[in-house]
Amino acid sequence: MDCSPNNDTLDGSGMPASLPYPKPQLYHLEILSPALDIGRKETLPVLLFAFFCSISDGDEPPTVAADHSTIIVRWELSSIKSTLHPSFSQLASKKANSTISGDSQPDVIFKRLQDINVNKVIVAVRELHLATTLVLCSSDGSVEFRNRSTLDLLPHDSPDRASTMAQVGLEFLPGDSFLHAALSPNGCAMVTLDDENPARLKVMQMAYSYADNMFDESLEAVAEACLMQFHISCGGYGNQQDDLSATMQIFQKQYLKDRPKEANDFVRTFLSDMYRILQLNADHSSDIKIEHYLKNGLHQKTLSMQLSLGYWGEEQHRTLPSKIAFAILQLRWAALTFVLGLKSNSSGAILPAEAEFNRTETVRSFSGIIAWTLSLMNYIMDELLTLLTEVEEDGPLSYDPLEARIQARNTPALALLFISQSRLLFKYIFRLFQGINAEAMQTKSQNLSWRDIGTIFSSSPVPIDVFNKVIVDVETDIRSTYESNRISDAERREIEKNMLISGTVSPKLWPAVESLLTKSLPRMREAINRAELFFHDISWIGLSDDKASDQWRKEHRLDIVRKVEVPERAKVRRCTRCCSVMEDSAPQKGTTGPLVNMWRSCVCGNWWMDLDDGTKGVGRMS
């Protein structure tokens, strides 16, 4: 089979029509697997691409010459099953007839398509969006998005329909030439190599021509395009949204940093539609068992994106929605740790009353998570009691002034009590804590490890049973508010989703908020030592914005997995998304195999990067 370019692509001497170089040479083959075109509702066939380029006689590398071009020779592959003439079925011998009519291997048919001439040297090819879009990276630093079937350039401005990020104004800004390029899973980031410089990372950014004309519809288009890419990536294995979150973060920092309203609208649009398009229910107020929630990995993926969109760097505080996602991810991690680390019953479900507490090493390995979760509980109660004091001093209680105080303090305390996901996790974890605490009280005098666990519980200014009562009261008031206002299931799911993605309590739940601040908290306040609560260290949990917390983060590093401080010179791994760290050390004695497997990824579900030293640097991906 002749795979050379057709004569109509060349001039009479066999040279490229527009170039004074010798006959093009084959330098790359690419096979495109079958793809489903959702728009036309048909399956696209297998394609074979052969890339030809003219090579000059001089020493100049052809991939950096600006006047070289690439000829793409294409074939469409199809299979046809061989059949015999009907006369063979009339043979007398049944055995021979059976042999002849047996299944035969299908024949592969190559159909030559029209050659394509590109006035650039293509160095990398990548399929995107269910293999319906091709990304061509050229040596001059440009990146093109083309239709798979026709290789036509996709329009940069498509108001009615967009199939790539480039069609809403995002692109790889022009830069230096390169010899090789590798695209990320979603095609939103690219690593390039040349013969002089090390690997360089490029992330999609808003084109300069769009930057001065950013309207509400443009923001919505960018959000919808990012949502489309997120939905596609969620169908794959693992978390493959790092490049997408980096693109969105850069977009926010460049064009929305000084426009808080537009920034909030952009994030809110993306997060809200994210739950809609994934058909993910954020309402867990009626869930009885936690196993169904923990098994659904989409919860972790959505919370991880919410966490990353509110991260503006280590020198700035997280946004309120990002803090909500951070806290729930830590609670989810704690629940998973107990599920995998403690013995389950015959049905596979973990019940606090049946958990195995006699494995001292197992429970001791949970001490950091126990201490962190109790500190979170104390942080919530301290914030709520402070809020209660301010409200009592100001007089009559109303929604808007209270919400303004919460936004000013940037505190997620109240919302964590009213969001059903966090309540579900709190109820499970603290039921288990009651069993662990009871066991520690019985054996702490005989066992040093249990004594340490008992000390963690006894040093908490807020008793576990007090916090459990607050959660029960809040849940009862929320249920009563839903029933008295005849709020439908669909409306309730919308309320829960909005609270989760905004970090603010819905005005429709104001009766429950008022009941908490006027009845439950005043009643529980007497059981809490306010002095101990005031001096209790919460600077290490990562939710407070005070000076003590900022100073702690500058001087210390928290192992996000074990919830213990990382030694100063210890080797660490860093999450490629949320920048949390984990000490790169052997698991403690008694750590079960499932827990070790779970530690392969960060709490947010993303991959680790091994750092060359304990503080900074770039290392290999784990």
Side-chain angles (χ1 to χ4, degrees):
M1 181 182 67
D2 182 18
C3 64
S4 301
N6 286 328
N7 292 331
D8 57 358
T9 316
L10 308 171
D11 62 12
S13 61
M15 308 269 290
S18 59
L19 296 175
Y21 295 131
K23 184 177 180 179
Q25 302 292 319
L26 174 66
Y27 72 91
H28 181 67
L29 286 173
E30 187 80 21
I31 298 179
L32 306 183
S33 57
L36 178 63
D37 190 334
I38 300 178
R40 294 189 295 177
K41 297 182 179 180
E42 64 180 11
T43 302
L44 303 178
V46 178
L47 295 177
L48 173 62
F49 287 0
F51 294 82
F52 290 81
C53 179
S54 298
I55 301 177
S56 61
D57 295 331
D59 296 332
E60 181 187 14
T63 52
V64 298
D67 54 353
H68 282 77
S69 69
T70 301
I71 300 174
I72 306 176
V73 182
R74 304 177 298 155
W75 291 269
E76 178 181 303
L77 277 63
S78 59
S79 61
I80 183 172
K81 188 175 181 180
S82 301
T83 58
L84 296 175
H85 192 276
S87 299
F88 284 93
S89 62
Q90 301 176 6
L91 293 176
S93 174
K94 293 184 178 180
K95 182 177 181 180
N97 188 24
S98 175
T99 303
I100 294 174
S101 62
D103 294 335
S104 60
Q105 293 293 330
D107 295 327
V108 178
I109 306 299
F110 286 75
K111 179 184 176 182
R112 183 72 174 261
L113 304 177
Q114 182 181 0
D115 296 352
I116 303 295
N117 193 355
V118 181
N119 293 323
K120 300 176 182 179
V121 176
I122 298 173
V123 297
V125 182
R126 177 64 185 274
E127 299 175 81
L128 286 182
H129 309 138
L130 306 178
T132 59
T133 301
L134 282 186
V135 185
L136 303 182
C137 303
S138 303
S139 62
D140 62 354
S142 62
V143 179
E144 296 178 343
F145 294 82
R146 292 176 175 261
N147 182 277
R148 165 199 167 108
S149 301
T150 63
L151 284 188
D152 291 336
L153 281 170
L154 296 177
H156 281 274
D157 190 4
S158 180
D160 297 329
R161 180 180 179 182
S163 57
T164 68
M165 305 284 281
Q167 291 178 272
V168 295
L170 295 170
E171 64 178 24
F172 292 100
L173 299 183
D176 299 330
S177 60
F178 48 78
L179 297 176
H180 182 72
L183 281 134
S184 60
N186 296 305
C188 299
M190 176 175 61
V191 175
T192 63
L193 290 172
D194 57 34
D195 54 352
E196 296 180 356
N197 300 312
R200 289 177 294 182
L201 175 66
K202 298 180 68 175
V203 180
M204 272 190 153
Q205 301 180 33
M206 180 60 67
Y208 295 127
S209 58
Y210 283 76
D212 298 331
N213 300 301
M214 291 298 297
F215 301 106
D216 293 341
E217 55 269 19
S218 301
L219 290 175
E220 185 176 355
V222 174
E224 293 297 334
C226 295
L227 179 67
M228 169 200 68
Q229 197 63 63
F230 177 81
H231 186 215
I232 294 173
S233 64
C234 281
Y237 172 76
N239 271 2
Q240 300 177 348
Q241 300 94 32
D242 261 359
D243 53 347
L244 180 61
S245 63
T247 300
M248 297 179 69
Q249 285 176 332
I250 290 177
F251 174 75
Q252 291 184 89
K253 291 178 181 179
Q254 286 185 326
Y255 304 108
L256 301 178
K257 187 175 182 179
D258 299 326
R259 303 164 66 182
K261 181 182 182 302
E262 287 81 357
N264 291 334
D265 292 343
F266 173 75
V267 174
R268 185 78 63 87
T269 299
F270 176 83
L271 294 177
S272 179
D273 287 346
M274 177 177 64
Y275 280 88
R276 176 183 58 82
I277 199 169
L278 293 177
Q279 299 182 357
L280 190 62
N281 186 12
D283 179 21
H284 301 276
S285 55
S286 59
D287 289 359
I288 300 176
K289 294 184 178 180
I290 196 173
E291 289 78 12
H292 301 295
Y293 170 78
L294 295 178
K295 289 179 180 179
N296 192 341
L298 288 179
H299 289 296
Q300 185 184 39
K301 290 184 178 182
T302 53
L303 288 170
S304 181
M305 284 299 297
Q306 181 172 331
L307 173 68
S308 66
L309 292 179
Y311 178 73
W312 296 84
E314 296 179 354
E315 300 298 326
Q316 298 189 47
H317 298 138
R318 296 185 184 274
T319 63
L320 192 53
S322 182
K323 287 185 176 182
I324 292 291
F326 177 81
I328 296 179
L329 282 171
Q330 309 310 313
L331 291 173
R332 182 182 182 276
W333 183 267
L336 276 173
T337 300
F338 292 123
V339 167
L340 297 177
L342 298 177
K343 183 178 179 181
S344 61
N345 61 8
S346 58
S347 65
I350 297 290
L351 299 178
E354 300 177 6
E356 180 186 7
F357 298 127
N358 55 1
R359 290 186 60 187
T360 302
E361 299 86 354
T362 299
V363 180
R364 187 179 184 184
S365 66
F366 299 155
S367 59
I369 296 178
I370 294 174
W372 189 93
T373 309
L374 290 176
S375 293
L376 174 62
M377 174 190 70
N378 286 283
Y379 163 77
I380 291 175
M381 294 301 296
D382 182 48
E383 287 289 325
L384 292 179
L385 291 175
T386 301
L387 198 64
L388 175 62
T389 302
E390 294 177 353
V391 168
E392 289 176 342
E393 293 175 353
D394 291 345
L397 190 63
S398 60
Y399 177 83
D400 291 336
L402 179 66
E403 183 60 30
R405 290 181 181 276
I406 293 175
Q407 294 295 329
R409 295 175 64 87
N410 197 27
T411 173
L414 185 64
L416 287 174
L417 282 182
F418 279 77
I419 294 173
S420 58
Q421 280 194 40
S422 49
R423 285 204 318 275
L424 176 68
L425 292 165
F426 272 132
K427 287 187 295 182
Y428 170 77
I429 293 172
F430 282 97
R431 282 200 305 267
L432 191 59
F433 277 5
Q434 288 178 332
I436 297 177
N437 188 28
E439 187 72 18
M441 294 296 293
Q442 295 177 7
T443 60
K444 69 178 183 179
S445 60
Q446 305 172 4
N447 188 294
L448 180 61
S449 300
W450 278 111
R451 189 182 307 168
D452 295 339
I453 295 294
T455 302
I456 294 175
F457 283 103
S458 60
S459 61
S460 173
V462 178
I464 296 177
D465 57 341
V466 171
F467 190 72
N468 279 332
K469 291 178 182 178
V470 173
I471 292 178
V472 171
D473 289 346
V474 170
E475 194 155 59
T476 302
D477 293 335
I478 290 176
R479 189 180 299 111
S480 175
T481 302
Y482 282 149
E483 293 175 355
S484 61
N485 294 330
R486 297 181 179 180
I487 296 177
S488 63
D489 292 345
E491 190 176 2
R492 189 178 66 199
R493 287 193 293 267
E494 190 68 18
I495 291 174
E496 291 284 348
K497 181 188 71 174
N498 290 333
M499 288 195 298
L500 178 63
I501 65 177
S502 66
T504 59
V505 179
S506 171
K508 295 184 178 181
L509 294 180
W510 174 246
V513 176
E514 191 175 19
S515 176
L516 172 67
L517 295 177
T518 59
K519 298 178 181 178
S520 298
L521 283 181
R523 187 172 63 250
M524 303 296 177
R525 183 163 46 185
E526 303 300 326
I528 300 174
N529 189 323
R530 289 300 307 276
E532 290 185 4
L533 183 60
F534 178 81
F535 289 104
H536 185 77
D537 185 16
I538 58 172
S539 60
W540 65 295
I541 66 173
L543 293 176
S544 181
D545 296 342
D546 57 10
K547 293 182 178 180
S549 299
D550 292 341
Q551 191 66 26
W552 193 95
R553 285 191 288 267
K554 290 180 180 179
E555 299 176 353
H556 307 273
R557 293 174 300 172
L558 178 67
D559 186 323
I560 200 67
V561 169
R562 303 179 181 92
K563 300 295 188 296
V564 294
E565 185 177 347
V566 178
E568 183 177 356
R569 297 186 178 275
K571 184 179 179 182
V572 297
R573 299 178 179 183
R574 186 178 66 189
C575 177
T576 58
R577 178 176 297 180
C578 69
C579 295
S580 299
V581 297
M582 169 189 177
E583 183 180 359
D584 192 3
S585 61
Q588 298 181 17
K589 181 181 178 182
T591 305
T592 61
L595 278 181
V596 176
N597 292 332
M598 194 171 72
W599 292 352
R600 292 179 178 178
S601 60
C602 179
V603 173
C604 69
N606 225 54
W607 307 116
W608 294 113
M609 172 187 290
D610 288 342
L611 299 185
D612 292 335
D613 54 51
T615 56
K616 56 185 178 180
V618 179
R620 67 183 186 277
M621 299 296 294
S622 297

